[in-house]
Amino acid sequence: MNDLQRLKEMGISVWEVRRADVFPNQPQQTITLPVGCKLLLICDNQPEEQDAWLFGKILSSMKLTPEDALRLPADALLAITDHNLEWCWFAGCDGDAPHGTKKLTSPSLSLLQHDQNAKKALWHQIKTL
């Protein structure tokens, strides 16, 4: 069994090589998002349990589910190919949203957890876009 088959069996459909510089002769990696992905959360750290709860609540307010969203680090944005995204949310970082998406910005989820003004600002962005 090869590595790709193992990843597929584990339900992992998106991954990245952490040290791409070790493989200088490899072609540029591209990321094809799942067809159902409507929101891309861009943050450099994997959300912790409390952060994931808040993220789920925000998704719910947008009439989205966790299955409609995917998290990627900021440096992976350039590798995205075709997509069906509606939203690109930068949490604790900034960048250019993929073409045709609505861009949201906020502090990281862990900071957003305790900052009512930042939550209000995020909600205002969601409602006005």
Side-chain angles (χ1 to χ4, degrees):
M1 176 180 291
N2 69 31
D3 292 337
L4 293 177
Q5 288 173 321
R6 280 192 206 109
L7 290 172
K8 188 174 181 179
E9 284 183 6
M10 293 172 19
I12 299 172
S13 60
V14 177
W15 67 90
E16 68 178 289
V17 176
R18 289 187 190 265
R19 301 258 339 264
D21 57 313
V22 175
F23 306 100
N25 296 329
Q26 290 295 322
Q28 176 71 23
Q29 181 182 3
T30 60
I31 298 172
T32 303
L33 298 176
V35 173
C37 184
K38 303 290 182 212
L39 181 140
L40 192 58
L41 175 67
I42 306 299
C43 61
D44 290 326
N45 298 321
Q46 183 72 26
E48 300 200 9
E49 190 172 330
Q50 285 184 329
D51 301 337
W53 179 84
L54 176 63
F55 181 61
K57 296 299 275 180
I58 294 169
L59 286 176
S60 177
S61 75
M62 298 171 74
K63 297 184 176 31
L64 297 172
T65 66
E67 291 76 26
D68 297 326
L70 185 66
R71 184 203 70 87
L72 288 176
D75 60 0
L77 268 176
L78 296 175
I80 293 175
T81 57
D82 295 334
H83 63 80
N84 293 320
L85 291 171
E86 295 175 18
W87 302 89
C88 189
W89 175 5
F90 291 87
C93 61
D94 197 24
D96 294 324
H99 179 71
T101 62
K102 301 171 195 165
K103 180 181 176 181
L104 301 172
T105 58
S106 75
S108 67
L109 288 172
S110 59
L111 292 176
L112 191 63
Q113 190 81 248
H114 306 288
D115 188 339
Q116 286 298 89
N117 289 331
K119 286 180 190 176
K120 287 178 185 177
L122 177 62
W123 180 246
H124 180 72
Q125 290 177 65
I126 292 168
K127 291 311 251 180
T128 57
L129 289 177

